[in-house]
Coordinates of all heavy atoms in Angstrom, one line a residue:
M19 N 137.1 137.4 53.3 CA 137.3 136.0 53.4 C 138.8 135.8 53.8 O 139.7 136.3 53.3 CB 137.1 135.3 52.0 CG 137.5 133.9 52.0 SD 137.2 133.0 50.5 CE 138.2 133.8 49.3
E20 N 138.9 135.0 54.9 CA 140.2 134.6 55.4 C 140.6 133.3 54.9 O 139.8 132.3 55.0 CB 140.2 134.7 56.9 CG 141.7 134.4 57.4 CD 141.6 134.5 58.9 OE1 140.9 135.3 59.6 OE2 142.5 133.9 59.6
I21 N 141.7 133.2 54.3 CA 142.3 132.0 53.8 C 143.3 131.4 54.7 O 144.3 132.1 55.1 CB 142.9 132.1 52.4 CG1 141.8 132.5 51.4 CG2 143.5 130.8 51.9 CD1 142.3 132.8 50.0
I22 N 143.1 130.2 55.2 CA 144.0 129.6 56.2 C 145.1 128.8 55.5 O 146.3 128.8 55.8 CB 143.3 128.7 57.1 CG1 142.2 129.4 57.8 CG2 144.2 128.0 58.1 CD1 142.6 130.6 58.6
N23 N 144.8 128.1 54.4 CA 145.8 127.2 53.7 C 145.8 127.6 52.2 O 144.8 127.6 51.5 CB 145.3 125.8 53.9 CG 146.3 124.8 53.5 OD1 147.5 125.0 53.6 ND2 145.8 123.7 52.9
L24 N 147.0 127.9 51.6 CA 147.2 128.0 50.3 C 147.7 126.7 49.6 O 148.7 126.2 50.1 CB 148.1 129.2 49.9 CG 147.5 130.5 49.9 CD1 148.5 131.6 49.6 CD2 146.3 130.6 48.9
I25 N 147.1 126.2 48.5 CA 147.5 125.0 47.9 C 148.0 125.4 46.5 O 147.3 126.0 45.7 CB 146.3 124.1 47.8 CG1 145.9 123.7 49.2 CG2 146.7 122.8 47.0 CD1 144.6 123.0 49.2
N26 N 149.3 125.0 46.2 CA 149.9 125.4 44.9 C 149.5 124.3 43.9 O 150.0 123.3 44.0 CB 151.3 125.6 45.1 CG 152.1 125.9 43.8 OD1 151.5 126.2 42.8 ND2 153.4 125.9 43.9
L27 N 148.9 124.8 42.9 CA 148.5 123.8 41.8 C 149.1 124.3 40.5 O 148.4 124.2 39.4 CB 147.0 123.7 41.6 CG 146.3 123.0 42.8 CD1 144.8 123.0 42.7 CD2 146.8 121.6 43.1
T28 N 150.3 124.8 40.6 CA 151.1 125.1 39.4 C 152.2 124.0 39.3 O 152.5 123.4 40.3 CB 151.8 126.5 39.5 OG1 152.8 126.5 40.5 CG2 150.7 127.6 39.7
P29 N 153.0 124.0 38.2 CA 154.0 122.9 38.1 C 155.3 123.3 38.8 O 156.3 122.5 38.6 CB 154.2 122.8 36.5 CG 153.8 124.1 36.0 CD 152.7 124.6 36.9
H30 N 155.3 124.3 39.6 CA 156.6 124.7 40.2 C 156.3 125.4 41.6 O 155.2 125.7 41.8 CB 157.3 125.8 39.3 CG 156.4 126.9 38.9 ND1 156.0 127.9 39.8 CD2 155.7 127.2 37.7 CE1 155.2 128.7 39.1 NE2 154.9 128.3 37.9
A31 N 157.3 125.4 42.4 CA 157.2 126.0 43.7 C 156.9 127.5 43.5 O 157.4 128.2 42.5 CB 158.5 125.8 44.5
V32 N 156.2 128.1 44.4 CA 156.0 129.5 44.4 C 156.6 130.1 45.7 O 156.2 129.6 46.8 CB 154.4 129.9 44.3 CG1 154.2 131.4 44.5 CG2 153.8 129.4 43.0
N33 N 157.5 131.0 45.5 CA 158.2 131.6 46.7 C 157.8 133.0 46.9 O 157.8 133.8 45.9 CB 159.7 131.5 46.5 CG 160.2 130.0 46.3 OD1 159.7 129.2 47.1 ND2 161.1 129.7 45.4
I34 N 157.6 133.4 48.1 CA 157.2 134.8 48.5 C 158.6 135.3 49.2 O 159.0 134.7 50.1 CB 156.1 134.9 49.3 CG1 154.9 134.1 48.8 CG2 155.7 136.3 49.7 CD1 154.4 134.7 47.4
V35 N 159.1 136.4 48.7 CA 160.3 137.0 49.2 C 160.1 138.4 49.6 O 159.2 139.1 49.1 CB 161.5 136.9 48.2 CG1 161.9 135.5 47.9 CG2 161.2 137.7 46.9
S36 N 160.8 138.9 50.6 CA 160.7 140.2 51.1 C 161.4 141.2 50.1 O 162.1 140.7 49.2 CB 161.4 140.4 52.5 OG 162.8 140.2 52.3
D37 N 161.2 142.5 50.3 CA 161.9 143.4 49.4 C 163.5 143.2 49.4 O 164.2 143.6 48.5 CB 161.6 144.8 49.8 CG 160.2 145.2 49.5 OD1 159.5 144.6 48.7 OD2 159.6 146.2 50.1
E38 N 163.9 142.7 50.6 CA 165.4 142.5 50.7 C 165.8 141.2 50.1 O 167.1 140.7 50.2 CB 165.9 142.5 52.2 CG 165.6 143.9 52.8 CD 164.1 144.3 53.2 OE1 163.4 143.3 53.4 OE2 163.8 145.4 53.0
G39 N 165.0 140.4 49.6 CA 165.3 139.1 49.0 C 165.2 138.0 50.0 O 165.6 136.8 49.5
E40 N 164.7 138.1 51.1 CA 164.7 137.0 52.1 C 163.4 136.2 51.8 O 162.3 136.8 51.6 CB 164.5 137.6 53.5 CG 164.3 136.6 54.7 CD 164.1 137.3 55.9 OE1 164.1 138.5 56.1 OE2 163.8 136.5 56.8
L41 N 163.6 134.9 51.8 CA 162.5 133.9 51.5 C 161.5 134.0 52.8 O 161.9 133.7 53.9 CB 163.0 132.5 51.4 CG 161.9 131.5 51.2 CD1 161.1 131.7 49.9 CD2 162.5 130.1 51.1
L42 N 160.3 134.4 52.5 CA 159.3 134.5 53.6 C 158.5 133.2 53.7 O 158.3 132.7 54.8 CB 158.4 135.6 53.4 CG 159.0 137.0 53.4 CD1 158.0 138.1 53.0 CD2 159.7 137.3 54.7
V43 N 158.1 132.6 52.6 CA 157.3 131.4 52.6 C 157.5 130.7 51.2 O 157.6 131.5 50.2 CB 155.9 131.6 53.0 CG1 155.1 132.5 52.0 CG2 155.1 130.3 53.2
S44 N 157.4 129.5 51.2 CA 157.5 128.7 49.9 C 156.3 127.7 49.8 O 156.0 127.1 50.8 CB 158.8 127.9 49.8 OG 158.9 127.3 48.6
F45 N 155.6 127.8 48.7 CA 154.5 126.8 48.4 C 155.0 125.7 47.4 O 155.0 126.1 46.2 CB 153.3 127.6 48.0 CG 152.8 128.7 48.9 CD1 153.2 129.9 48.8 CD2 152.0 128.3 50.0 CE1 152.7 130.9 49.7 CE2 151.6 129.3 51.0 CZ 151.9 130.5 50.8
P46 N 155.2 124.6 47.8 CA 155.7 123.6 46.8 C 154.5 123.2 46.0 O 153.3 123.2 46.4 CB 156.1 122.4 47.7 CG 155.5 122.6 49.0 CD 155.2 124.0 49.2
S47 N 154.6 122.7 44.7 CA 153.6 122.2 43.9 C 153.1 120.9 44.5 O 153.9 120.0 44.9 CB 154.2 122.0 42.5 OG 153.3 121.4 41.7
V48 N 151.8 120.8 44.5 CA 151.2 119.5 45.0 C 150.3 118.9 43.9 O 149.5 118.0 44.2 CB 150.4 119.7 46.3 CG1 151.4 120.1 47.4 CG2 149.3 120.7 46.1
G49 N 150.5 119.3 42.7 CA 149.6 118.9 41.6 C 149.5 120.1 40.6 O 150.1 121.1 40.8
V50 N 148.8 119.8 39.5 CA 148.7 120.9 38.4 C 147.3 120.9 38.0 O 146.7 119.9 37.5 CB 149.6 120.6 37.2 CG1 149.4 121.7 36.2 CG2 151.0 120.6 37.7
A51 N 146.6 122.1 38.2 CA 145.3 122.4 37.6 C 145.6 123.2 36.4 O 146.6 123.9 36.3 CB 144.5 123.3 38.6
R52 N 144.7 122.9 35.4 CA 144.9 123.7 34.1 C 143.7 123.8 33.4 O 142.6 123.3 33.9 CB 145.9 122.8 33.2 CG 145.4 121.5 32.9 CD 146.4 120.6 32.1 NE 145.8 119.3 31.8 CZ 145.0 119.0 30.8 NH1 144.7 120.0 30.0 NH2 144.6 117.9 30.6
A53 N 143.6 124.6 32.3 CA 142.5 124.7 31.5 C 142.7 123.8 30.2 O 143.9 123.7 29.7 CB 142.3 126.2 31.0
A54 N 141.7 123.1 29.8 CA 141.9 122.2 28.6 C 142.2 123.1 27.4 O 141.8 124.3 27.3 CB 140.5 121.5 28.3
Q55 N 143.0 122.6 26.5 CA 143.6 123.4 25.5 C 143.3 122.7 24.2 O 143.5 121.5 24.0 CB 145.1 123.5 25.7 CG 145.8 124.2 24.6 CD 147.3 124.3 24.9 OE1 147.7 124.4 26.1 NE2 148.1 124.3 23.9
V56 N 142.8 123.5 23.1 CA 142.6 122.9 21.8 C 143.4 123.8 20.8 O 143.2 125.0 20.8 CB 141.1 122.9 21.4 CG1 140.9 122.5 20.0 CG2 140.3 122.0 22.4
D57 N 144.3 123.2 20.0 CA 145.1 123.9 19.1 C 144.5 123.6 17.7 O 144.2 122.4 17.4 CB 146.6 123.5 19.2 CG 147.2 123.8 20.4 OD1 146.8 124.8 21.1 OD2 148.1 123.1 20.8
S58 N 144.5 124.6 16.9 CA 144.0 124.3 15.5 C 144.8 125.2 14.5 O 145.2 126.3 14.8 CB 142.5 124.6 15.4 OG 142.2 125.9 15.8
P59 N 145.1 124.6 13.3 CA 145.8 125.5 12.4 C 145.0 126.7 12.0 O 143.9 126.7 11.9 CB 145.9 124.5 11.1 CG 145.6 123.1 11.6 CD 144.7 123.3 12.9
S60 N 145.7 127.8 11.8 CA 145.2 129.1 11.4 C 145.9 129.8 10.4 O 146.1 131.0 10.4 CB 145.1 129.9 12.7 OG 144.3 131.1 12.5
G61 N 146.4 129.1 9.4 CA 147.2 129.6 8.3 C 148.7 129.6 8.5 O 149.1 128.7 9.2
S62 N 149.4 130.4 7.8 CA 150.8 130.3 7.9 C 151.4 131.7 7.5 O 150.7 132.5 7.0 CB 151.4 129.3 6.9 OG 151.1 129.7 5.5
L63 N 152.6 131.9 7.9 CA 153.4 133.1 7.7 C 154.7 132.8 6.9 O 155.4 131.8 7.3 CB 153.7 133.7 9.0 CG 154.6 135.0 9.0 CD1 153.9 136.1 8.3 CD2 155.0 135.3 10.5
T64 N 154.8 133.4 5.8 CA 156.1 133.1 5.0 C 157.2 134.2 5.3 O 156.9 135.3 5.2 CB 155.7 133.0 3.5 OG1 154.8 132.0 3.3 CG2 157.0 132.7 2.8
V65 N 158.3 133.7 5.7 CA 159.4 134.6 6.0 C 160.6 134.2 5.1 O 161.1 133.1 5.4 CB 159.8 134.6 7.5 CG1 161.0 135.5 7.7 CG2 158.6 135.0 8.4
G66 N 160.8 135.0 4.1 CA 161.9 134.5 3.1 C 161.4 133.3 2.4 O 160.3 133.3 1.9
E67 N 162.1 132.3 2.5 CA 161.7 131.0 1.9 C 161.1 130.0 2.9 O 160.9 128.8 2.6 CB 162.9 130.3 1.2 CG 163.4 131.2 0.1 CD 164.6 130.6 -0.7 OE1 164.8 129.4 -0.5 OE2 165.2 131.3 -1.5
V68 N 160.9 130.4 4.2 CA 160.4 129.5 5.2 C 158.9 129.8 5.5 O 158.6 131.0 5.7 CB 161.2 129.7 6.5 CG1 160.7 128.8 7.6 CG2 162.7 129.4 6.2
E69 N 158.1 128.8 5.4 CA 156.7 128.9 5.8 C 156.5 128.4 7.3 O 156.9 127.3 7.6 CB 155.9 128.0 4.9 CG 154.4 128.3 5.1 CD 153.5 127.6 4.0 OE1 154.1 127.3 2.9 OE2 152.3 127.3 4.3
I70 N 156.0 129.3 8.0 CA 155.8 129.1 9.5 C 154.4 128.9 9.8 O 153.5 129.8 9.5 CB 156.3 130.2 10.3 CG1 157.8 130.5 10.0 CG2 156.2 130.0 11.8 CD1 158.4 131.7 10.5
P71 N 153.9 127.7 10.3 CA 152.5 127.5 10.6 C 152.1 128.4 11.8 O 152.9 128.6 12.7 CB 152.4 126.1 10.9 CG 153.8 125.6 11.3 CD 154.8 126.5 10.6
I72 N 150.9 128.9 11.7 CA 150.3 129.6 12.7 C 149.2 128.7 13.4 O 148.4 128.1 12.7 CB 149.6 131.0 12.2 CG1 150.7 131.9 11.6 CG2 148.9 131.7 13.3 CD1 150.1 133.1 10.8
V73 N 149.3 128.6 14.7 CA 148.3 127.8 15.5 C 147.5 128.7 16.4 O 148.0 129.5 17.2 CB 149.1 126.7 16.2 CG1 148.1 125.9 17.0 CG2 149.9 125.9 15.3
R74 N 146.2 128.5 16.4 CA 145.3 129.2 17.3 C 145.0 128.3 18.4 O 144.6 127.1 18.2 CB 144.0 129.6 16.5 CG 143.1 130.3 17.4 CD 141.9 130.8 16.5 NE 141.0 131.6 17.4 CZ 139.8 131.2 17.8 NH1 139.4 130.0 17.6 NH2 139.1 132.0 18.6
T75 N 145.2 128.8 19.7 CA 145.0 128.0 20.8 C 143.7 128.6 21.6 O 143.6 129.8 21.8 CB 146.2 128.1 21.8 OG1 147.3 127.5 21.2 CG2 145.9 127.3 23.1
V76 N 142.8 127.7 21.9 CA 141.5 128.0 22.6 C 141.6 127.2 23.9 O 141.8 126.0 23.9 CB 140.3 127.7 21.8 CG1 139.1 128.0 22.6 CG2 140.3 128.5 20.5
F77 N 141.4 127.9 25.0 CA 141.3 127.3 26.4 C 139.8 127.0 26.7 O 139.0 127.9 26.5 CB 142.1 128.1 27.4 CG 143.6 128.2 27.1 CD1 144.0 129.3 26.4 CD2 144.4 127.2 27.4 CE1 145.4 129.5 26.1 CE2 145.8 127.2 27.1 CZ 146.3 128.4 26.5
G78 N 139.6 126.0 27.3 CA 138.3 125.6 27.7 C 138.1 125.3 29.1 O 138.6 126.0 30.0
E79 N 137.4 124.2 29.5 CA 137.1 123.9 30.9 C 138.3 123.6 31.7 O 139.3 123.2 31.2 CB 136.1 122.7 30.9 CG 136.7 121.4 30.4 CD 135.8 120.3 30.4 OE1 134.7 120.4 29.7 OE2 136.0 119.3 31.1
V80 N 138.1 123.9 33.1 CA 139.1 123.7 34.0 C 139.3 122.1 34.3 O 138.4 121.4 34.4 CB 138.7 124.4 35.3 CG1 139.7 124.1 36.5 CG2 138.6 125.8 35.1
V81 N 140.5 121.7 34.4 CA 140.9 120.3 34.6 C 141.7 120.2 35.9 O 142.7 121.0 36.2 CB 141.8 119.8 33.4 CG1 142.2 118.3 33.8 CG2 141.0 119.9 32.1
D82 N 141.3 119.3 36.8 CA 142.0 119.1 38.1 C 142.0 120.2 39.1 O 143.0 120.3 39.9 CB 143.4 118.5 37.8 CG 143.4 117.2 37.0 OD1 142.4 116.4 37.2 OD2 144.3 116.9 36.3
L83 N 141.0 121.0 39.1 CA 140.9 122.1 40.1 C 139.8 121.6 41.0 O 138.7 121.5 40.7 CB 140.6 123.5 39.4 CG 140.4 124.6 40.5 CD1 141.8 124.9 41.2 CD2 139.9 125.8 39.7
P84 N 140.2 121.4 42.4 CA 139.2 120.9 43.3 C 138.1 122.0 43.5 O 138.3 123.2 43.3 CB 140.0 120.7 44.5 CG 141.4 120.7 44.2 CD 141.5 121.5 42.9
E85 N 137.0 121.5 43.9 CA 136.0 122.5 44.3 C 136.4 123.2 45.5 O 137.1 122.6 46.4 CB 134.6 121.8 44.7 CG 133.9 121.2 43.4 CD 133.5 122.3 42.5 OE1 133.0 123.3 42.9 OE2 133.5 122.0 41.2
H86 N 136.0 124.5 45.8 CA 136.4 125.2 46.9 C 135.8 124.6 48.2 O 134.6 124.3 48.1 CB 136.0 126.7 46.7 CG 136.3 127.4 48.0 ND1 137.6 127.9 48.3 CD2 135.5 128.0 48.9 CE1 137.5 128.6 49.4 NE2 136.3 128.7 49.8
S87 N 136.5 124.5 49.2 CA 136.0 124.0 50.5 C 136.7 124.6 51.6 O 137.9 124.7 51.6 CB 136.1 122.4 50.5 OG 137.4 122.1 50.5
G88 N 136.0 125.0 52.6 CA 136.5 125.5 53.8 C 137.4 126.7 53.6 O 137.1 127.6 52.9
D89 N 138.6 126.7 54.3 CA 139.5 127.9 54.3 C 140.7 127.7 53.3 O 141.6 128.5 53.4 CB 140.0 128.1 55.7 CG 138.9 128.3 56.7 OD1 137.9 129.0 56.3 OD2 139.0 127.9 57.8
D90 N 140.5 126.8 52.3 CA 141.6 126.7 51.3 C 141.5 127.7 50.2 O 140.4 128.0 49.8 CB 141.5 125.2 50.7 CG 141.9 124.1 51.7 OD1 142.5 124.5 52.7 OD2 141.5 123.0 51.5
G91 N 142.6 128.1 49.8 CA 142.8 128.9 48.5 C 143.8 128.2 47.6 O 144.6 127.4 48.0
Y92 N 143.6 128.5 46.3 CA 144.5 127.7 45.3 C 145.4 128.8 44.6 O 144.9 129.8 44.1 CB 143.6 127.0 44.3 CG 142.8 126.0 45.1 CD1 141.5 126.2 45.4 CD2 143.4 124.8 45.6 CE1 140.7 125.2 46.1 CE2 142.6 123.8 46.3 CZ 141.3 124.1 46.6 OH 140.6 123.2 47.2
I93 N 146.6 128.4 44.4 CA 147.5 129.1 43.5 C 147.5 128.4 42.1 O 147.8 127.2 42.0 CB 148.9 129.2 44.0 CG1 148.9 129.8 45.4 CG2 149.9 129.9 43.1 CD1 150.3 129.7 46.1
V94 N 147.0 129.1 41.1 CA 146.9 128.6 39.7 C 147.4 129.6 38.7 O 147.6 130.8 39.0 CB 145.5 128.1 39.4 CG1 144.9 127.0 40.3 CG2 144.5 129.3 39.4
S95 N 147.6 129.2 37.5 CA 148.0 130.1 36.5 C 146.8 131.0 36.1 O 145.7 130.7 36.4 CB 148.4 129.3 35.2 OG 147.1 128.7 34.6
I96 N 147.1 132.2 35.5 CA 146.1 133.1 35.1 C 145.1 132.5 34.1 O 143.9 132.8 34.1 CB 146.7 134.4 34.5 CG1 145.6 135.4 34.3 CG2 147.4 134.2 33.3 CD1 145.0 136.0 35.6
I97 N 145.6 131.6 33.3 CA 144.7 130.9 32.3 C 143.7 130.1 33.0 O 142.5 130.0 32.7 CB 145.6 130.2 31.2 CG1 146.2 131.2 30.3 CG2 144.6 129.3 30.3 CD1 147.3 130.6 29.4
T98 N 144.2 129.3 34.0 CA 143.4 128.4 34.8 C 142.3 129.3 35.6 O 141.1 128.9 35.6 CB 144.2 127.5 35.7 OG1 145.0 126.7 34.9 CG2 143.3 126.5 36.5
A99 N 142.8 130.4 36.1 CA 141.9 131.2 36.9 C 140.8 131.7 36.0 O 139.6 131.9 36.4 CB 142.7 132.3 37.6
Q100 N 141.2 132.2 34.8 CA 140.2 132.8 33.9 C 139.2 131.7 33.4 O 138.0 132.0 33.3 CB 140.8 133.4 32.7 CG 141.7 134.6 33.1 CD 142.5 135.1 31.8 OE1 142.9 134.4 31.0 NE2 143.0 136.4 32.0
A101 N 139.6 130.5 33.2 CA 138.7 129.4 32.9 C 137.8 129.1 34.0 O 136.6 128.9 33.8 CB 139.5 128.1 32.5
A102 N 138.3 129.1 35.2 CA 137.4 128.8 36.3 C 136.4 129.9 36.5 O 135.2 129.6 36.8 CB 138.4 128.7 37.6
Q103 N 136.8 131.1 36.4 CA 135.9 132.3 36.4 C 134.8 132.2 35.4 O 133.6 132.4 35.6 CB 136.6 133.6 36.3 CG 135.8 134.8 36.5 CD 136.5 136.1 36.4 OE1 137.5 136.2 35.7 NE2 136.0 137.1 37.1
A104 N 135.2 131.8 34.2 CA 134.2 131.7 33.0 C 133.2 130.6 33.4 O 132.1 130.7 32.9 CB 134.9 131.4 31.7
A105 N 133.7 129.6 34.1 CA 132.8 128.5 34.5 C 131.9 128.8 35.8 O 131.2 127.9 36.2 CB 133.6 127.2 34.6
G106 N 132.1 130.1 36.2 CA 131.3 130.4 37.4 C 131.9 129.9 38.8 O 131.2 129.9 39.8
R107 N 133.1 129.7 38.7 CA 133.8 129.2 39.9 C 134.5 130.3 40.7 O 134.9 131.2 40.2 CB 134.8 128.1 39.6 CG 134.1 127.0 39.0 CD 134.6 125.6 39.2 NE 135.3 125.3 40.4 CZ 136.3 124.5 40.4 NH1 136.7 123.8 39.3 NH2 136.9 124.2 41.5

């Protein structure tokens, strides 16, 4: 598959540099795709006299990731990519 256009859906620019540190190409952020996130209490950890809450995070469906079309490819976080893969995308 040949990708003609890469679309950056992370919250920051993605820069590709050569081994010498020369900027080869930059992909500015044009939006943010993510995986839905649900946090739930999962106990606590006591360190000395301080009780630290433990939170379990579960990632769910993909949010704001366009359907694949044409020659576009998407730059997303690994969590978003895993959620998309789990959804059969």
